Amino acid sequence: MARPRKTGLDYFPFDIDFFQDEKIVCIAGEFGIKGEMVAIRLLCAIYDKGYFAEWNEQQKYKLSKELQGVSAGLIEQIVRRLARWGFFDETLLDTAGILTSRAIQRRYFEARKKCRRIDLDSADPAYLLLPEIINAEKTAVSSEKTPVSSFKNATNKNKLNKIKKEDKSSKKSGEEEEDMEKRIEKYKNNESWKNDIAEKHHLDPEEVPALLEAFHLDMRCKKLMVRNLPYFFDNWLGIYKSRQNEERKASAHRQSVEIDREKKTFPPESDMERLDRQMKERADAFDQQEKNAAKPAEYIRSLGYDPEKVTLKQVFSPEWREKNPPTLNPESA
């Protein structure tokens, strides 16, 4: 019985400046040593499988069990931050639940190149971000196995192969795009599937075709060809709805803030604020008294008293003013 083909690595290169990488520095700054350990564990899990690894609930709780004191929720936050900062490809993580990146794939294929015992054809091309690397490896291996007789023949053959590959690649791309459009149309007309997906995401079934078109456009812009369309669309729709809800909440918050500003609603006055207000009022009253004292005769006359018979001290006394009502008309004075 033949041995199964090995796609993973027994070991992988670990840069000595790993912890100085700005992505890891950001992770360590936010999550501490737990963030660094999660990043290293995920790299080991990826290279053990090949150049990518699936990220799901099972893997999350498995990693949480291996790392004592690190909850599954914290691990999910760390993975999302790593994807946001480019340590993992955020598009593949959001649409397919796959952990990989161009740097991870580059190191993986460099290690494969040195380890000849690993079959080049065993690499799964589903999530390749660097297809030119594996093509170059296959070309190099085939050229070593089949040496050409002369430099001129090799050059002509390489040019011919390149033209054929380009034609084949463009043809394959066109066929995949055409196949994608056919599958989109197929699911647009699948009433049972539309009802199920609409019920799961609380939508009107009539909205599903338009969302399928948006999904198709998004995949074309990201140059992704999906195989299991219902699975990818389900994940994409969940992320799309989540972002819509976040935008809706942010919009509602902005509107409430604007309404509060229009109504000029302020929080209740605290004891310290009330004391500050009272002291300010007393200071203003004292300033007003000083201004009035600068022209005592006019001030006494404005209150309805004769300045030749009454002093400022008497006027400032509420008890005296209560016993001695004004004798002059302030308007005539």
Side-chain angles (χ1 to χ4, degrees), residues 188 205-216 233 236 240:
K188 277 184 182 180
E206 299 299 325
E207 299 178 35
V208 176
L211 290 169
L212 272 169
E213 286 294 337
F215 167 75
H216 185 198
F233 179 71
W236 178 87
Y240 175 79

Side-chain angles (χ1 to χ4, degrees), residues 17 60 73 105 128 138 280 304 310 329:
D17 60 348
K60 185 196 310 181
Q105 293 185 13
L128 271 177
K138 290 181 178 180
K280 186 177 182 303
V310 178
N329 187 356

Side-chain angles (χ1 to χ4, degrees), residues 49-304:
K49 301 293 183 183
Y51 69 87
F52 70 91
E54 294 184 0
W55 182 246
N56 49 39
E57 294 294 321
Q58 181 181 0
Q59 299 299 325
K60 185 196 310 181
Y61 287 107
K62 179 183 176 182
L63 185 57
S64 177
K65 183 180 178 182
E66 294 173 353
L67 296 174
Q68 297 295 329
V70 185
S71 66
L74 179 60
I75 291 175
E76 181 66 26
Q77 292 181 27
I78 293 172
V79 170
R80 292 295 169 183
R81 287 290 193 280
L82 286 169
R84 179 179 298 178
W85 292 322
F87 191 80
F88 296 126
D89 188 273
E90 189 172 15
T91 300
L92 280 176
L93 178 60
D94 290 342
T95 57
I98 294 298
L99 296 177
T100 188
S101 70
R102 295 176 65 88
I104 289 172
Q105 293 185 13
R106 186 178 296 108
R107 285 192 291 269
Y108 171 74
F109 286 111
E110 286 175 356
R112 283 165 56 95
K113 190 175 182 180
K114 296 176 183 178
C115 189
R116 303 287 180 129
R117 62 184 177 82
I118 301 179
D119 186 8
L120 290 173
D121 294 328
S122 62
D124 186 351
Y127 307 108
L128 271 177
L129 298 175
L130 300 171
E132 67 275 8
I133 288 183
I134 191 170
N135 291 338
E137 287 184 11
K138 290 181 178 180
T139 303
V141 171
S142 62
S143 64
E144 290 178 3
K145 290 182 179 179
T146 312
V148 294
S149 58
S150 66
F151 176 77
K152 184 176 180 180
N153 291 338
T155 305
N156 294 336
K157 187 175 181 180
N158 288 337
K159 288 182 179 180
L160 183 61
N161 289 338
K162 185 177 180 181
I163 294 172
K164 288 182 179 179
K165 285 181 180 179
E166 289 177 354
D167 293 341
K168 187 177 180 180
S169 176
S170 61
K171 183 179 179 181
K172 183 178 179 181
S173 176
E175 290 175 353
E176 288 178 344
E177 178 61 27
E178 184 179 354
D179 180 58
M180 181 74 168
E181 292 177 357
K182 289 180 180 178
R183 285 186 290 160
I184 290 288
E185 291 299 325
K186 173 186 173 182
Y187 283 100
K188 277 184 182 180
N189 300 323
N190 191 332
E191 298 297 332
S192 175
W193 177 80
K194 285 196 300 183
N195 292 333
D196 291 342
I197 200 75
E199 182 179 358
K200 180 178 180 179
H201 293 278
H202 308 289
L203 296 170
D204 185 345
E206 299 299 325
E207 299 178 35
V208 176
L211 290 169
L212 272 169
E213 286 294 337
F215 167 75
H216 185 198
L217 180 61
D218 191 19
M219 294 300 102
R220 287 183 61 185
C221 292
K222 295 173 180 176
K223 297 182 179 179
L224 291 175
M225 291 297 170
V226 299
R227 296 179 180 179
N228 190 347
L229 190 145
Y231 172 78
F232 280 91
F233 179 71
D234 186 16
N235 288 343
W236 178 87
L237 191 55
I239 296 168
Y240 175 79
K241 292 282 291 181
S242 175
R243 289 176 178 172
Q244 270 197 334
N245 291 335
E246 290 177 0
E247 292 175 359
R248 193 178 297 112
K249 288 179 182 178
S251 176
H253 176 70
R254 287 194 296 269
Q255 291 179 0
S256 65
V257 170
E258 292 176 359
I259 292 173
D260 288 343
R261 288 176 179 172
E262 291 176 359
K263 291 183 178 179
K264 295 182 180 180
T265 56
F266 299 97
E269 188 179 41
S270 64
D271 293 340
M272 185 62 68
E273 290 173 340
R274 182 170 62 255
L275 181 61
D276 290 342
R277 178 177 55 78
Q278 292 174 352
M279 292 181 66
K280 186 177 182 303
E281 291 175 354
R282 291 175 185 174
D284 292 342
F286 182 76
D287 291 341
Q288 186 62 39
Q289 287 183 357
E290 286 188 338
K291 291 179 182 179
N292 294 334
K295 298 178 180 180
E298 295 180 5
Y299 178 63
I300 294 172
R301 192 176 291 109
S302 67
L303 295 177

Side-chain angles (χ1 to χ4, degrees), residues 32-50:
I33 193 172
K34 294 180 180 180
E36 296 173 342
M37 289 303 300
V38 169
I40 295 172
R41 283 276 189 167
L42 290 173
L43 284 178
C44 292
I46 292 170
Y47 288 125
D48 181 58
K49 301 293 183 183

